[in-house]
Structures are given as C-alpha cells and as structure tokens.
Amino acid sequence: QGMDVVSANLNLYLASSGSCTPKYFSVFGVPAAASGTVWGNAPALTGTFVSQIASGGYNATCGAKYVSVDVVSLLGSADSVSGTIGFGVKATNETEILSKKRFNSSNAYSNKPYLTVTYNMPPGAASTPSLTGASASAGVLSVGSAKPELVSQAVDPDGNSVKLTFKTYADASSLTPTGTLCFVTVASGSQGSCRPTNSLVDQQTYFVRAISD
C-alpha cells in the first residue's frame, strides 16, 4: 500500500498445449479465489486483460516450460480480497482446439505459478523551501536577487535519488500550482538547491512549495 508498482510478471508453468505452434492466451484481473471457488462459480473473465503467445508441453520439440506474462497493467483493475488479487486465464480463441493449454495450479507438486513484483516507495514530503541570503519580516522572506537560490530536501525510503521541484501557488492555502520555478535531483536526504529559470517580478509576493518525487 502506498507504493508504485514498477513491474509485475505472472509466471505460469505451461504443462501442455494443443500443438507446438504458439497460440495466444489471455490473463484477466479477477477477485482472488476462495476455498469455495469452483468452476461453476468462477468469476467472469471480462474487462481488462493482457495477452501472451506461447506453446509448450506438446512433445519433445516444445517441452513444458514457464511462461512469463507482464500483468502490471492489471494491478489497477484487479479486485483486492483480503489484501490479495487474482488472475483468470483462458485461450484468446476458445473455439480453436490448437489453442488449448494446461497450466500448473498452486496445487501442483512442483512448478507452481508465482508472481514477481518490483515496487518503488515514493519519497517523503519535501521540507519547506528556504531562500539563501533572505531576510524575514512579518513572515515574508525578501531577497535582493531576481533569481534567488531555493533550498529543500526529502528522504526516499528506498534510498533512491529525489527530484525536488519548486512550484508557485496563488496563495498559502492553494493546492493548485500556477507555475514551476526550477527543479533539481539530489541524493536521498541531501539538500537540493536551484535558481528560477526566469527572473522573478520585482516587489511581487510568491507562495512557493517544494514537491518531491
């Protein structure tokens, strides 16, 4: 939860198929199977799906093997049941006998299906921006440069680099940025600084926040 999925691959062991000619099959995101799930009440395989072409387990020429399917696009559409998701598999063309396939289930003695996921935790919120060489008065920072140095920092839980973007807003309570002053990429936890690409308007008040990503 709260993580960005970078990649996700469903690995299925193709035990047998209708021929050595590769045929497409489709994978759907569905509610996870429960103890009472049987063929008669299996979830409908409709909606978003991904397809993969493969053959295996037909004869010595095309033996049984694992087939990997990129399912990252299904993770947003697959229903979650008790913190789990499910996948449904069927032949893309169910009327063609050569498209039939048999994959090992989790009940198999070996070569069970498994899911590999690579995820990235987003960085923490950036610190309130500061201005190098600024003077404060009544809660307002003033600088003598049209392109002052903006400074902030943020920590990434995975230790990845952090991009700090300094954006302007209409007022202190606004959540919609009106523009971008500059950005910089730094190591996690390190201070990052940059100067506006364009000169600031003299005597104008700016509301600035640093956004980390």
Side-chain angles (χ1 to χ4, degrees):
Q1 187 175 4
M3 302 178 186
D4 297 322
V5 177
V6 178
S7 65
N9 290 87
L10 178 63
N11 301 278
L12 302 170
Y13 191 77
L14 180 52
S16 67
S17 55
S19 73
C20 279
T21 301
K23 297 291 182 178
Y24 280 99
F25 65 95
S26 300
V27 179
F28 296 76
V30 299
S35 59
T37 303
V38 295
W39 181 259
N41 62 6
L45 301 185
T46 59
T48 305
F49 66 92
V50 294
S51 295
Q52 179 65 283
I53 190 169
S55 65
Y58 182 71
N59 56 28
T61 303
C62 54
K65 62 181 181 180
Y66 267 105
V67 177
S68 182
V69 186
D70 183 352
V71 294
V72 68
S73 63
L74 299 181
L75 296 187
S77 62
D79 292 331
S80 177
V81 180
S82 300
T84 60
I85 59 174
F87 297 101
V89 182
K90 73 173 184 178
T92 302
N93 182 359
E94 292 190 296
T95 63
E96 182 183 30
I97 189 64
L98 297 181
S99 292
K100 72 173 184 178
K101 291 177 175 60
R102 180 171 61 83
F103 296 99
N104 278 13
S105 71
S106 58
N107 296 322
Y109 179 76
S110 61
N111 299 319
K112 299 181 180 184
Y114 64 94
L115 180 68
T116 56
V117 178
T118 301
Y119 63 87
N120 177 59
M121 297 181 68
S127 61
T128 301
S130 61
L131 289 170
T132 302
S135 58
S137 176
V140 177
L141 296 177
S142 300
V143 291
S145 171
K147 291 186 176 182
E149 184 179 45
L150 299 155
V151 183
S152 181
Q153 68 183 96
V155 175
D156 184 274
D158 298 322
N160 296 325
S161 298
V162 178
K163 180 181 179 181
L164 300 169
T165 303
F166 297 87
K167 298 186 177 185
T168 57
Y169 296 79
D171 54 53
S173 61
S174 175
L175 299 178
T176 303
T178 57
T180 297
L181 297 177
C182 61
F183 60 86
V184 62
T185 300
V186 296
S188 173
S190 299
Q191 283 194 337
S193 63
C194 61
R195 296 179 182 273
T197 303
N198 300 313
S199 297
L200 302 183
V201 178
D202 190 27
Q203 300 299 314
Q204 180 172 320
T205 299
Y206 290 85
F207 298 90
V208 181
R209 292 193 188 99
I211 306 299
S212 59
D213 58 57

Short mmCIF file of all heavy atoms in Angstrom, two decimals, residues 16-86:
data_model
loop_
_atom_site.label_atom_id
_atom_site.label_comp_id
_atom_site.label_asym_id
_atom_site.label_seq_id
_atom_site.Cartn_x
_atom_site.Cartn_y
_atom_site.Cartn_z
N SER A 16 1.04 -28.39 -20.86
CA SER A 16 0.68 -28.99 -22.15
C SER A 16 -0.08 -27.98 -22.99
O SER A 16 -0.70 -27.04 -22.47
CB SER A 16 -0.18 -30.25 -21.96
OG SER A 16 -1.45 -29.91 -21.43
N SER A 17 -0.01 -28.16 -24.30
CA SER A 17 -0.74 -27.30 -25.23
C SER A 17 -1.18 -28.12 -26.43
O SER A 17 -0.78 -29.28 -26.59
CB SER A 17 0.13 -26.12 -25.67
OG SER A 17 1.35 -26.55 -26.22
N GLY A 18 -2.01 -27.51 -27.27
CA GLY A 18 -2.61 -28.26 -28.37
C GLY A 18 -1.69 -28.55 -29.52
O GLY A 18 -1.99 -29.42 -30.36
N SER A 19 -0.57 -27.84 -29.60
CA SER A 19 0.40 -28.08 -30.66
C SER A 19 1.68 -27.33 -30.31
O SER A 19 1.75 -26.64 -29.30
CB SER A 19 -0.14 -27.59 -32.02
OG SER A 19 -0.12 -26.17 -32.08
N CYS A 20 2.67 -27.46 -31.18
CA CYS A 20 3.91 -26.71 -30.99
C CYS A 20 3.82 -25.31 -31.60
O CYS A 20 4.76 -24.53 -31.48
CB CYS A 20 5.10 -27.46 -31.60
SG CYS A 20 5.76 -28.78 -30.53
N THR A 21 2.73 -25.02 -32.27
CA THR A 21 2.54 -23.69 -32.85
C THR A 21 2.08 -22.73 -31.75
O THR A 21 1.04 -22.97 -31.12
CB THR A 21 1.48 -23.72 -33.97
OG1 THR A 21 1.89 -24.63 -34.99
CG2 THR A 21 1.31 -22.34 -34.57
N PRO A 22 2.83 -21.68 -31.48
CA PRO A 22 2.44 -20.76 -30.41
C PRO A 22 1.06 -20.15 -30.67
O PRO A 22 0.77 -19.72 -31.79
CB PRO A 22 3.54 -19.68 -30.46
CG PRO A 22 4.71 -20.36 -31.10
CD PRO A 22 4.11 -21.29 -32.11
N LYS A 23 0.22 -20.15 -29.65
CA LYS A 23 -1.11 -19.57 -29.73
C LYS A 23 -1.31 -18.62 -28.54
O LYS A 23 -0.73 -18.80 -27.47
CB LYS A 23 -2.19 -20.67 -29.69
CG LYS A 23 -2.14 -21.63 -30.87
CD LYS A 23 -2.54 -20.96 -32.17
CE LYS A 23 -2.54 -21.95 -33.33
NZ LYS A 23 -2.97 -21.31 -34.60
N TYR A 24 -2.14 -17.63 -28.74
CA TYR A 24 -2.36 -16.63 -27.70
C TYR A 24 -3.29 -17.14 -26.60
O TYR A 24 -4.22 -17.92 -26.84
CB TYR A 24 -2.99 -15.37 -28.31
CG TYR A 24 -1.99 -14.46 -28.99
CD1 TYR A 24 -1.83 -14.49 -30.37
CD2 TYR A 24 -1.21 -13.58 -28.24
CE1 TYR A 24 -0.92 -13.64 -31.00
CE2 TYR A 24 -0.30 -12.74 -28.86
CZ TYR A 24 -0.16 -12.77 -30.23
OH TYR A 24 0.74 -11.95 -30.85
N PHE A 25 -3.00 -16.68 -25.38
CA PHE A 25 -3.93 -16.85 -24.27
C PHE A 25 -4.02 -15.50 -23.56
O PHE A 25 -3.14 -14.64 -23.71
CB PHE A 25 -3.48 -17.96 -23.30
CG PHE A 25 -2.20 -17.68 -22.57
CD1 PHE A 25 -2.20 -17.13 -21.29
CD2 PHE A 25 -0.97 -18.00 -23.15
CE1 PHE A 25 -1.01 -16.89 -20.61
CE2 PHE A 25 0.22 -17.76 -22.48
CZ PHE A 25 0.20 -17.22 -21.21
N SER A 26 -5.09 -15.30 -22.80
CA SER A 26 -5.35 -14.02 -22.16
C SER A 26 -5.39 -14.17 -20.64
O SER A 26 -5.84 -15.19 -20.12
CB SER A 26 -6.68 -13.43 -22.66
OG SER A 26 -6.66 -13.23 -24.05
N VAL A 27 -4.94 -13.13 -19.96
CA VAL A 27 -4.94 -13.10 -18.49
C VAL A 27 -5.77 -11.91 -18.04
O VAL A 27 -5.56 -10.79 -18.51
CB VAL A 27 -3.52 -13.00 -17.92
CG1 VAL A 27 -3.56 -12.94 -16.39
CG2 VAL A 27 -2.67 -14.17 -18.39
N PHE A 28 -6.71 -12.16 -17.12
CA PHE A 28 -7.62 -11.13 -16.62
C PHE A 28 -7.38 -10.90 -15.13
O PHE A 28 -7.00 -11.81 -14.40
CB PHE A 28 -9.08 -11.55 -16.82
CG PHE A 28 -9.51 -11.72 -18.25
CD1 PHE A 28 -9.12 -12.84 -18.98
CD2 PHE A 28 -10.29 -10.76 -18.86
CE1 PHE A 28 -9.51 -12.99 -20.30
CE2 PHE A 28 -10.68 -10.91 -20.18
CZ PHE A 28 -10.30 -12.03 -20.90
N GLY A 29 -7.64 -9.70 -14.69
CA GLY A 29 -7.63 -9.41 -13.27
C GLY A 29 -9.00 -9.72 -12.68
O GLY A 29 -10.02 -9.22 -13.14
N VAL A 30 -9.04 -10.59 -11.67
CA VAL A 30 -10.32 -11.03 -11.08
C VAL A 30 -10.18 -11.08 -9.56
O VAL A 30 -9.07 -11.03 -9.02
CB VAL A 30 -10.72 -12.42 -11.61
CG1 VAL A 30 -10.93 -12.40 -13.11
CG2 VAL A 30 -9.68 -13.47 -11.22
N PRO A 31 -11.31 -11.21 -8.84
CA PRO A 31 -11.21 -11.40 -7.39
C PRO A 31 -10.45 -12.69 -7.08
O PRO A 31 -10.53 -13.66 -7.83
CB PRO A 31 -12.68 -11.52 -6.95
CG PRO A 31 -13.45 -10.80 -8.02
CD PRO A 31 -12.71 -11.08 -9.29
N ALA A 32 -9.71 -12.68 -5.99
CA ALA A 32 -8.92 -13.85 -5.62
C ALA A 32 -9.83 -15.03 -5.32
O ALA A 32 -10.94 -14.87 -4.78
CB ALA A 32 -8.05 -13.54 -4.41
N ALA A 33 -9.39 -16.23 -5.67
CA ALA A 33 -10.17 -17.44 -5.42
C ALA A 33 -10.22 -17.72 -3.92
O ALA A 33 -9.26 -17.47 -3.19
CB ALA A 33 -9.54 -18.63 -6.15
N ALA A 34 -11.36 -18.25 -3.46
CA ALA A 34 -11.54 -18.63 -2.07
C ALA A 34 -11.68 -20.15 -1.99
O ALA A 34 -11.67 -20.84 -3.02
CB ALA A 34 -12.76 -17.94 -1.48
N SER A 35 -11.83 -20.67 -0.79
CA SER A 35 -11.94 -22.12 -0.63
C SER A 35 -13.16 -22.68 -1.33
O SER A 35 -13.18 -23.83 -1.73
CB SER A 35 -11.98 -22.47 0.87
OG SER A 35 -13.08 -21.83 1.50
N GLY A 36 -14.20 -21.84 -1.49
CA GLY A 36 -15.42 -22.33 -2.12
C GLY A 36 -15.49 -22.06 -3.61
O GLY A 36 -16.51 -22.33 -4.26
N THR A 37 -14.43 -21.51 -4.19
CA THR A 37 -14.44 -21.21 -5.63
C THR A 37 -14.26 -22.48 -6.44
O THR A 37 -13.28 -23.21 -6.25
CB THR A 37 -13.32 -20.21 -5.98
OG1 THR A 37 -13.47 -19.02 -5.21
CG2 THR A 37 -13.38 -19.85 -7.46
N VAL A 38 -15.21 -22.76 -7.32
CA VAL A 38 -15.14 -23.92 -8.22
C VAL A 38 -15.46 -23.43 -9.62
O VAL A 38 -15.77 -22.26 -9.84
CB VAL A 38 -16.12 -25.03 -7.79
CG1 VAL A 38 -15.72 -25.61 -6.44
CG2 VAL A 38 -17.55 -24.49 -7.72
N TRP A 39 -15.40 -24.34 -10.58
CA TRP A 39 -15.63 -23.95 -11.96
C TRP A 39 -17.01 -23.32 -12.14
O TRP A 39 -17.17 -22.36 -12.89
CB TRP A 39 -15.48 -25.18 -12.87
CG TRP A 39 -15.68 -24.86 -14.33
CD1 TRP A 39 -16.78 -25.07 -15.08
CD2 TRP A 39 -14.73 -24.23 -15.19
NE1 TRP A 39 -16.59 -24.62 -16.37
CE2 TRP A 39 -15.32 -24.10 -16.46
CE3 TRP A 39 -13.42 -23.76 -15.01
CZ2 TRP A 39 -14.66 -23.52 -17.54
CZ3 TRP A 39 -12.77 -23.20 -16.08
CH2 TRP A 39 -13.38 -23.08 -17.33
N GLY A 40 -17.99 -23.82 -11.43
CA GLY A 40 -19.36 -23.33 -11.60
C GLY A 40 -19.58 -21.91 -11.10
O GLY A 40 -20.51 -21.24 -11.56
N ASN A 41 -18.78 -21.45 -10.16
CA ASN A 41 -18.96 -20.08 -9.66
C ASN A 41 -17.70 -19.24 -9.86
O ASN A 41 -17.47 -18.26 -9.14
CB ASN A 41 -19.35 -20.09 -8.17
CG ASN A 41 -18.27 -20.70 -7.28
OD1 ASN A 41 -17.18 -21.03 -7.75
ND2 ASN A 41 -18.58 -20.86 -6.00
N ALA A 42 -16.90 -19.64 -10.83
CA ALA A 42 -15.67 -18.89 -11.12
C ALA A 42 -16.02 -17.49 -11.61
O ALA A 42 -17.05 -17.28 -12.26
CB ALA A 42 -14.86 -19.61 -12.19
N PRO A 43 -15.22 -16.49 -11.28
CA PRO A 43 -15.51 -15.12 -11.72
C PRO A 43 -15.46 -15.00 -13.24
O PRO A 43 -14.70 -15.72 -13.91
CB PRO A 43 -14.39 -14.30 -11.06
CG PRO A 43 -13.30 -15.28 -10.81
CD PRO A 43 -13.98 -16.57 -10.49
N ALA A 44 -16.27 -14.10 -13.77
CA ALA A 44 -16.31 -13.90 -15.22
C ALA A 44 -15.01 -13.29 -15.70
O ALA A 44 -14.44 -12.40 -15.06
CB ALA A 44 -17.48 -12.99 -15.57
N LEU A 45 -14.52 -13.79 -16.81
CA LEU A 45 -13.28 -13.27 -17.39
C LEU A 45 -13.64 -12.23 -18.44
O LEU A 45 -13.72 -12.50 -19.64
CB LEU A 45 -12.46 -14.42 -18.00
CG LEU A 45 -12.07 -15.53 -17.02
CD1 LEU A 45 -11.17 -16.54 -17.71
CD2 LEU A 45 -11.39 -14.98 -15.79
N THR A 46 -13.88 -11.01 -17.96
CA THR A 46 -14.26 -9.90 -18.82
C THR A 46 -13.45 -8.67 -18.43
O THR A 46 -12.79 -8.65 -17.40
CB THR A 46 -15.75 -9.58 -18.71
OG1 THR A 46 -16.05 -9.27 -17.33
CG2 THR A 46 -16.60 -10.76 -19.15
N GLY A 47 -13.54 -7.64 -19.24
CA GLY A 47 -12.87 -6.39 -18.91
C GLY A 47 -11.41 -6.39 -19.34
O GLY A 47 -11.03 -7.00 -20.34
N THR A 48 -10.60 -5.70 -18.58
CA THR A 48 -9.20 -5.51 -18.92
C THR A 48 -8.43 -6.83 -18.91
O THR A 48 -8.61 -7.65 -18.01
CB THR A 48 -8.53 -4.53 -17.93
OG1 THR A 48 -9.27 -3.30 -17.92
CG2 THR A 48 -7.09 -4.25 -18.33
N PHE A 49 -7.61 -7.02 -19.91
CA PHE A 49 -6.79 -8.25 -19.96
C PHE A 49 -5.50 -7.97 -20.72
O PHE A 49 -5.35 -6.95 -21.40
CB PHE A 49 -7.57 -9.39 -20.63
CG PHE A 49 -7.86 -9.16 -22.09
CD1 PHE A 49 -6.98 -9.61 -23.08
CD2 PHE A 49 -9.00 -8.49 -22.49
CE1 PHE A 49 -7.24 -9.39 -24.42
CE2 PHE A 49 -9.27 -8.25 -23.83
CZ PHE A 49 -8.39 -8.71 -24.79
N VAL A 50 -4.55 -8.88 -20.58
CA VAL A 50 -3.33 -8.85 -21.37
C VAL A 50 -3.19 -10.19 -22.06
O VAL A 50 -3.71 -11.20 -21.59
CB VAL A 50 -2.08 -8.57 -20.50
CG1 VAL A 50 -2.14 -7.18 -19.92
CG2 VAL A 50 -1.92 -9.61 -19.40
N SER A 51 -2.52 -10.22 -23.19
CA SER A 51 -2.37 -11.46 -23.96
C SER A 51 -0.89 -11.82 -24.11
O SER A 51 -0.02 -10.96 -24.13
CB SER A 51 -3.01 -11.32 -25.35
OG SER A 51 -4.40 -11.15 -25.24
N GLN A 52 -0.66 -13.13 -24.20
CA GLN A 52 0.69 -13.65 -24.39
C GLN A 52 0.60 -14.83 -25.35
O GLN A 52 -0.40 -15.55 -25.37
CB GLN A 52 1.30 -14.10 -23.06
CG GLN A 52 2.69 -14.69 -23.13
CD GLN A 52 3.71 -13.66 -23.59
OE1 GLN A 52 3.78 -13.35 -24.77
NE2 GLN A 52 4.48 -13.13 -22.67
N ILE A 53 1.63 -15.00 -26.16
CA ILE A 53 1.65 -16.12 -27.10
C ILE A 53 2.70 -17.14 -26.64
O ILE A 53 3.79 -16.76 -26.21
CB ILE A 53 1.96 -15.63 -28.54
CG1 ILE A 53 1.74 -16.75 -29.55
CG2 ILE A 53 3.35 -15.03 -28.64
CD1 ILE A 53 1.76 -16.27 -31.01
N ALA A 54 2.32 -18.41 -26.68
CA ALA A 54 3.24 -19.44 -26.20
C ALA A 54 2.76 -20.82 -26.62
O ALA A 54 1.60 -21.02 -26.98
CB ALA A 54 3.34 -19.38 -24.67
N SER A 55 3.69 -21.76 -26.55
CA SER A 55 3.36 -23.17 -26.71
C SER A 55 4.34 -23.95 -25.85
O SER A 55 5.44 -23.46 -25.55
CB SER A 55 3.47 -23.62 -28.18
OG SER A 55 4.82 -23.53 -28.62
N GLY A 56 3.97 -25.13 -25.44
CA GLY A 56 4.86 -25.94 -24.61
C GLY A 56 4.14 -27.17 -24.08
O GLY A 56 2.92 -27.18 -23.95
N GLY A 57 4.91 -28.21 -23.80
CA GLY A 57 4.33 -29.42 -23.26
C GLY A 57 3.62 -30.28 -24.27
O GLY A 57 2.84 -31.17 -23.90
N TYR A 58 3.87 -30.04 -25.57
CA TYR A 58 3.19 -30.85 -26.59
C TYR A 58 3.99 -32.11 -26.93
O TYR A 58 3.46 -33.20 -26.99
CB TYR A 58 2.95 -30.02 -27.84
CG TYR A 58 2.21 -30.76 -28.93
CD1 TYR A 58 0.86 -31.07 -28.78
CD2 TYR A 58 2.86 -31.16 -30.10
CE1 TYR A 58 0.18 -31.77 -29.78
CE2 TYR A 58 2.20 -31.85 -31.10
CZ TYR A 58 0.85 -32.15 -30.93
OH TYR A 58 0.19 -32.84 -31.91
N ASN A 59 5.28 -31.93 -27.14
CA ASN A 59 6.16 -33.07 -27.40
C ASN A 59 7.60 -32.67 -27.06
O ASN A 59 7.84 -31.62 -26.48
CB ASN A 59 6.05 -33.57 -28.85
CG ASN A 59 6.33 -32.47 -29.87
OD1 ASN A 59 7.08 -31.53 -29.57
ND2 ASN A 59 5.76 -32.58 -31.05
N ALA A 60 8.56 -33.48 -27.44
CA ALA A 60 9.96 -33.21 -27.12
C ALA A 60 10.48 -31.95 -27.80
O ALA A 60 11.43 -31.31 -27.33
CB ALA A 60 10.83 -34.41 -27.51
N THR A 61 9.86 -31.60 -28.92
CA THR A 61 10.29 -30.40 -29.64
C THR A 61 9.93 -29.13 -28.88
O THR A 61 10.68 -28.16 -28.89
CB THR A 61 9.65 -30.36 -31.04
OG1 THR A 61 9.99 -31.55 -31.74
CG2 THR A 61 10.12 -29.15 -31.83
N CYS A 62 8.78 -29.13 -28.24
CA CYS A 62 8.35 -27.95 -27.46
C CYS A 62 7.90 -28.45 -26.09
O CYS A 62 6.71 -28.67 -25.86
CB CYS A 62 7.26 -27.16 -28.18
SG CYS A 62 5.81 -28.13 -28.67
N GLY A 63 8.86 -28.64 -25.22
CA GLY A 63 8.57 -29.19 -23.90
C GLY A 63 7.89 -28.21 -22.96
O GLY A 63 7.77 -27.01 -23.25
N ALA A 64 7.45 -28.73 -21.85
CA ALA A 64 6.81 -27.91 -20.83
C ALA A 64 7.79 -26.86 -20.32
O ALA A 64 9.00 -27.10 -20.24
CB ALA A 64 6.32 -28.78 -19.68
N LYS A 65 7.27 -25.68 -19.96
CA LYS A 65 8.16 -24.59 -19.53
C LYS A 65 7.35 -23.50 -18.84
O LYS A 65 6.12 -23.47 -18.91
CB LYS A 65 8.86 -23.98 -20.74
CG LYS A 65 7.89 -23.35 -21.75
CD LYS A 65 8.60 -22.77 -22.95
CE LYS A 65 7.61 -22.14 -23.92
NZ LYS A 65 8.29 -21.57 -25.10
N TYR A 66 8.07 -22.61 -18.18
CA TYR A 66 7.43 -21.43 -17.59
C TYR A 66 7.22 -20.37 -18.67
O TYR A 66 8.06 -20.17 -19.54
CB TYR A 66 8.30 -20.84 -16.48
CG TYR A 66 7.97 -21.37 -15.10
CD1 TYR A 66 8.80 -22.30 -14.49
CD2 TYR A 66 6.83 -20.94 -14.42
CE1 TYR A 66 8.51 -22.79 -13.22
CE2 TYR A 66 6.53 -21.43 -13.15
CZ TYR A 66 7.37 -22.35 -12.56
OH TYR A 66 7.07 -22.84 -11.31
N VAL A 67 6.09 -19.70 -18.58
CA VAL A 67 5.76 -18.58 -19.46
C VAL A 67 5.51 -17.36 -18.58
O VAL A 67 4.74 -17.44 -17.62
CB VAL A 67 4.51 -18.88 -20.32
CG1 VAL A 67 4.16 -17.67 -21.17
CG2 VAL A 67 4.73 -20.10 -21.18
N SER A 68 6.17 -16.28 -18.89
CA SER A 68 6.04 -15.05 -18.09
C SER A 68 5.13 -14.07 -18.80
O SER A 68 5.28 -13.81 -20.00
CB SER A 68 7.42 -14.43 -17.85
OG SER A 68 7.31 -13.27 -17.05
N VAL A 69 4.18 -13.51 -18.04
CA VAL A 69 3.21 -12.56 -18.60
C VAL A 69 3.32 -11.24 -17.83
O VAL A 69 3.23 -11.22 -16.60
CB VAL A 69 1.77 -13.09 -18.50
CG1 VAL A 69 0.81 -12.15 -19.22
CG2 VAL A 69 1.68 -14.50 -19.06
N ASP A 70 3.48 -10.15 -18.56
CA ASP A 70 3.53 -8.83 -17.95
C ASP A 70 2.11 -8.43 -17.55
O ASP A 70 1.26 -8.19 -18.39
CB ASP A 70 4.10 -7.82 -18.95
CG ASP A 70 4.26 -6.42 -18.37
OD1 ASP A 70 3.78 -6.18 -17.24
OD2 ASP A 70 4.84 -5.56 -19.05
N VAL A 71 1.86 -8.34 -16.24
CA VAL A 71 0.50 -8.05 -15.74
C VAL A 71 0.44 -6.74 -14.97
O VAL A 71 -0.52 -6.49 -14.24
CB VAL A 71 -0.02 -9.20 -14.85
CG1 VAL A 71 -0.21 -10.48 -15.65
CG2 VAL A 71 0.91 -9.44 -13.67
N VAL A 72 1.44 -5.88 -15.14
CA VAL A 72 1.45 -4.63 -14.38
C VAL A 72 0.22 -3.79 -14.67
O VAL A 72 -0.30 -3.10 -13.79
CB VAL A 72 2.75 -3.84 -14.65
CG1 VAL A 72 2.80 -3.32 -16.08
CG2 VAL A 72 2.90 -2.70 -13.65
N SER A 73 -0.29 -3.87 -15.90
CA SER A 73 -1.48 -3.08 -16.25
C SER A 73 -2.74 -3.60 -15.59
O SER A 73 -3.75 -2.89 -15.52
CB SER A 73 -1.67 -3.06 -17.77
OG SER A 73 -1.91 -4.37 -18.27
N LEU A 74 -2.72 -4.84 -15.08
CA LEU A 74 -3.90 -5.43 -14.44
C LEU A 74 -3.99 -5.11 -12.96
O LEU A 74 -5.05 -5.25 -12.35
CB LEU A 74 -3.90 -6.95 -14.62
CG LEU A 74 -3.95 -7.48 -16.04
CD1 LEU A 74 -3.97 -9.00 -16.02
CD2 LEU A 74 -5.17 -6.95 -16.78
N LEU A 75 -2.92 -4.69 -12.35
CA LEU A 75 -2.92 -4.49 -10.91
C LEU A 75 -3.85 -3.37 -10.49
O LEU A 75 -4.36 -3.37 -9.38
CB LEU A 75 -1.50 -4.23 -10.40
CG LEU A 75 -0.52 -5.38 -10.59
CD1 LEU A 75 0.78 -5.07 -9.90
CD2 LEU A 75 -1.10 -6.68 -10.06
N GLY A 76 -4.08 -2.42 -11.36
CA GLY A 76 -5.01 -1.35 -11.02
C GLY A 76 -6.45 -1.75 -11.20
O GLY A 76 -7.35 -1.14 -10.62
N SER A 77 -6.73 -2.78 -11.99
CA SER A 77 -8.11 -3.18 -12.26
C SER A 77 -8.50 -4.45 -11.50
O SER A 77 -9.68 -4.73 -11.32
CB SER A 77 -8.31 -3.43 -13.76
OG SER A 77 -7.47 -4.48 -14.21
N ALA A 78 -7.50 -5.23 -11.05
CA ALA A 78 -7.83 -6.46 -10.34
C ALA A 78 -8.40 -6.14 -8.96
O ALA A 78 -7.92 -5.27 -8.26
CB ALA A 78 -6.57 -7.31 -10.18
N ASP A 79 -9.47 -6.82 -8.59
CA ASP A 79 -10.09 -6.59 -7.29
C ASP A 79 -9.19 -7.13 -6.19
O ASP A 79 -8.46 -8.11 -6.38
CB ASP A 79 -11.45 -7.28 -7.21
CG ASP A 79 -12.46 -6.64 -8.13
OD1 ASP A 79 -12.34 -5.43 -8.38
OD2 ASP A 79 -13.35 -7.35 -8.61
N SER A 80 -9.24 -6.51 -5.04
CA SER A 80 -8.44 -6.95 -3.90
C SER A 80 -9.34 -7.64 -2.88
O SER A 80 -10.36 -7.10 -2.49
CB SER A 80 -7.73 -5.76 -3.26
OG SER A 80 -7.02 -6.16 -2.12
N VAL A 81 -8.99 -8.84 -2.47
CA VAL A 81 -9.74 -9.59 -1.47
C VAL A 81 -8.78 -9.96 -0.36
O VAL A 81 -7.85 -10.74 -0.57
CB VAL A 81 -10.38 -10.86 -2.07
CG1 VAL A 81 -11.15 -11.60 -1.00
CG2 VAL A 81 -11.28 -10.49 -3.23
N SER A 82 -8.98 -9.39 0.84
CA SER A 82 -8.10 -9.65 1.99
C SER A 82 -6.64 -9.41 1.64
O SER A 82 -5.76 -10.19 1.98
CB SER A 82 -8.30 -11.09 2.48
OG SER A 82 -9.63 -11.30 2.88
N GLY A 83 -6.40 -8.35 0.91
CA GLY A 83 -5.04 -7.99 0.58
C GLY A 83 -4.45 -8.79 -0.56
O GLY A 83 -3.25 -8.74 -0.79
N THR A 84 -5.24 -9.56 -1.28
CA THR A 84 -4.73 -10.36 -2.39
C THR A 84 -5.48 -10.02 -3.67
O THR A 84 -6.55 -9.42 -3.65
CB THR A 84 -4.89 -11.86 -2.11
OG1 THR A 84 -6.29 -12.15 -1.94
CG2 THR A 84 -4.14 -12.27 -0.86
N ILE A 85 -4.90 -10.40 -4.79
CA ILE A 85 -5.55 -10.23 -6.08
C ILE A 85 -5.54 -11.58 -6.79
O ILE A 85 -4.79 -12.50 -6.41
CB ILE A 85 -4.85 -9.18 -6.95
CG1 ILE A 85 -3.39 -9.58 -7.20
CG2 ILE A 85 -4.94 -7.81 -6.31
CD1 ILE A 85 -2.68 -8.67 -8.16
N GLY A 86 -6.37 -11.71 -7.79
CA GLY A 86 -6.45 -12.96 -8.53
C GLY A 86 -6.28 -12.73 -10.02
O GLY A 86 -6.42 -11.60 -10.51
#
